[in-house]
Amino acid sequence: MNYQREEIEVPNGKGEIIRFQMNEQNSLTGANMKELGEILNEIKADPKKRGVIFSSDNPKFFCNGLDAENLLSTPRERLISEVGGIVLLFGEIVKFDKPLITEVTGYSMGGGAVITVASDFKYMVDGKGRIGFTEVNVGLPLPGSFIDRVRMCVEPRYWSEVCLEGKVYKAGEAKNIGLIDEIAPTLEEIRKLSLKKLESLAKIPMSAYRATKNTLNGSLIAKLEEYQKETTRSFEQPGVVDNLLEAMTALKEKRRPNFKN
């Protein structure tokens, strides 16, 4: 089971806590990303459900991005489609028009940062965990949809280091630039923030919340299909797949990657 689902009581209905438990590092594959999108669509269609909290009981990894072993075992002709699953999942999260809160319990790299920033409210444990859009550091161009979302929450003077450097941030640093909304010293304290927020949001008429959220994200949602096409074209550029495979191999072998271009 990739996700543990816990139903909770909130004002006017139910909520869900979805705990990531994909593997040791909570890393992403095409299959488990598709599954999460399907879960969100199921909750979206359920009139009794008022919102979702993403979390993990893994004290080290909330979500450590794309799974290296999976990518290295994926046939080359299917690799771009497999990697592109994170773009599709991002779209499903942005289109999820009920309250969505993410608890960053540990490392949240690459795809983990994507899931976090796509959420409405983002809380992080102030510990050893780190968060960052590390795509460029493994040879992947950062999709335009992710950049648009970064621009919605991160202070403009940090856009370049977030997107072009793939800088990795501690919890306090992430809050200072707008990547994270609140931090707390323990998961228990983060959970208090999440539950308080979800209970507050559940009291809002859901029709009003959903319509407003769709309007807030409207310009991004309208461009998702074109961004998906642009991402595929950028991933097909010479050297991108080779650099990605080299980065994943280096990660597995615990060495520095030797990029060709």
Side-chain angles (χ1 to χ4, degrees):
M1 182 184 294
N2 292 310
Y3 306 98
Q4 181 185 43
R5 300 172 63 177
E6 177 189 354
E7 195 173 87
I8 59 173
E9 297 286 339
V10 297
N12 302 314
K14 306 283 187 179
E16 279 202 31
I17 299 174
I18 300 177
R19 293 179 174 85
F20 292 8
Q21 49 181 32
M22 293 87 89
N23 47 49
E24 186 177 303
Q25 295 189 359
N26 276 334
S27 52
L28 299 166
T29 66
N32 65 39
M33 288 188 284
K34 181 180 179 183
E35 180 184 351
L36 183 56
E38 291 171 348
I39 290 172
L40 289 177
N41 283 321
E42 175 197 322
I43 296 171
K44 183 178 177 180
D46 186 341
K48 297 179 182 178
K49 296 293 175 65
R50 308 287 292 183
V52 167
I53 296 171
F54 283 159
S55 190
S56 173
D57 292 331
N58 187 324
K60 188 172 182 180
F61 297 102
F62 166 67
C63 177
N64 207 33
L66 296 174
D67 188 272
E69 291 281 357
N70 176 66
L71 292 180
L72 290 172
S73 64
T74 298
R76 191 180 181 93
E77 64 272 14
R78 287 178 40 218
L79 197 57
I80 292 176
S81 175
E82 186 75 10
V83 173
I86 186 59
V87 180
L88 297 176
L89 175 59
F90 173 82
E92 296 299 334
I93 296 174
V94 171
K95 289 185 291 184
F96 181 77
D97 55 7
K98 295 182 178 181
L100 177 57
I101 300 162
T102 288
E103 299 175 343
V104 181
T105 58
Y107 279 82
S108 188
M109 300 288 107
V114 172
I115 291 170
T116 302
V117 80
S119 306
D120 301 337
F121 299 93
K122 308 166 287 293
Y123 305 142
M124 186 171 180
V125 176
D126 188 12
K128 295 181 179 180
R130 302 289 186 271
I131 185 169
F133 288 82
T134 52
E135 283 82 353
V136 293
N137 295 323
V138 296
L140 286 175
L142 194 66
S145 52
F146 302 175
I147 294 173
D148 266 7
R149 192 66 175 187
V150 167
R151 287 171 172 162
M152 290 176 68
C153 58
V154 173
E155 292 188 23
R157 63 195 179 106
Y158 296 105
W159 290 350
S160 292
E161 67 177 38
V162 170
C163 299
L164 299 178
E165 292 183 49
K167 187 170 178 178
V168 173
Y169 300 92
K170 298 177 182 178
E173 296 168 336
K175 182 185 176 185
N176 287 340
I177 69 171
L179 192 57
I180 290 293
D181 298 320
E182 295 291 345
I183 61 175
T186 65
L187 177 56
E188 290 74 21
E189 292 299 316
I190 289 291
R191 181 59 47 80
K192 289 179 183 178
L193 291 174
S194 299
L195 291 175
K196 183 178 179 180
K197 178 63 70 175
L198 185 56
E199 289 170 0
S200 174
L201 297 174
K203 296 175 183 177
I204 298 172
M206 195 52 55
S207 57
Y209 188 95
R210 298 177 79 170
T212 303
K213 182 173 177 178
N214 283 329
T215 300
L216 179 66
N217 294 330
S219 60
L220 176 54
I221 292 171
K223 295 187 288 185
L224 285 175
E225 186 174 342
E226 181 56 35
Y227 274 142
Q228 290 167 13
K229 294 176 182 177
E230 288 180 3
T231 300
T232 298
R233 290 194 291 267
S234 68
F235 286 0
E236 290 174 342
Q237 292 179 17
V240 170
V241 169
D242 289 334
N243 283 334
L244 174 63
L245 291 174
E246 166 58 18
M248 295 299 103
T249 302
L251 182 64
K252 181 179 178 180
E253 297 176 353
K254 298 181 180 180
R255 60 172 175 81
R256 290 183 179 275
N258 181 23
F259 297 126
K260 300 299 182 183
N261 53 44

